[in-house]
Amino acid sequence: MSRLDKLLAGWTFRTATPTFEPGEVITAYVSERNGDGLTVRIGDSVIRVEDGRGAAVEDKVRLEVTSFDATNHVGTGEVVEVLGPDA
């Protein structure tokens, strides 16, 4: 094993389209509000939330993923807690 191989051992790159499992709780920022609710983007993956529990755009929220399509990188979720804009 070369020195470069030893240095880079275990390194991985993040994906731009992370996947999530139903029931997984994540923390993210609200990117937009529309007539149907909120949109939360994590990389190029999108999670839509119907009831934002008072969250505004750019608020940090903790949400539970209720469904996720790994092929299209789109899912739905429910806000567990609004952490606020300064969180």
Side-chain angles (χ1 to χ4, degrees), residues 13-26:
F13 292 98
R14 279 191 311 187
T15 177
T17 51
T19 58
F20 303 98
E21 296 294 323
E24 188 174 348
V25 177
I26 61 173

Side-chain angles (χ1 to χ4, degrees), residues 14-21 24-32 38-49 59-70 72-79:
R14 279 191 311 187
T15 177
T17 51
T19 58
F20 303 98
E21 296 294 323
E24 188 174 348
V25 177
I26 61 173
T27 303
Y29 287 94
V30 176
S31 58
E32 66 183 71
L38 305 174
T39 300
V40 175
R41 296 181 187 276
I42 302 93
D44 290 334
S45 295
V46 176
I47 298 181
R48 293 189 170 84
V49 180
D59 275 356
K60 191 173 188 179
V61 295
R62 184 167 290 125
L63 59 94
E64 180 178 353
V65 177
T66 55
S67 68
F68 192 81
D69 178 6
N72 296 318
H73 303 285
V74 175
T76 59
E78 296 178 358
V79 173

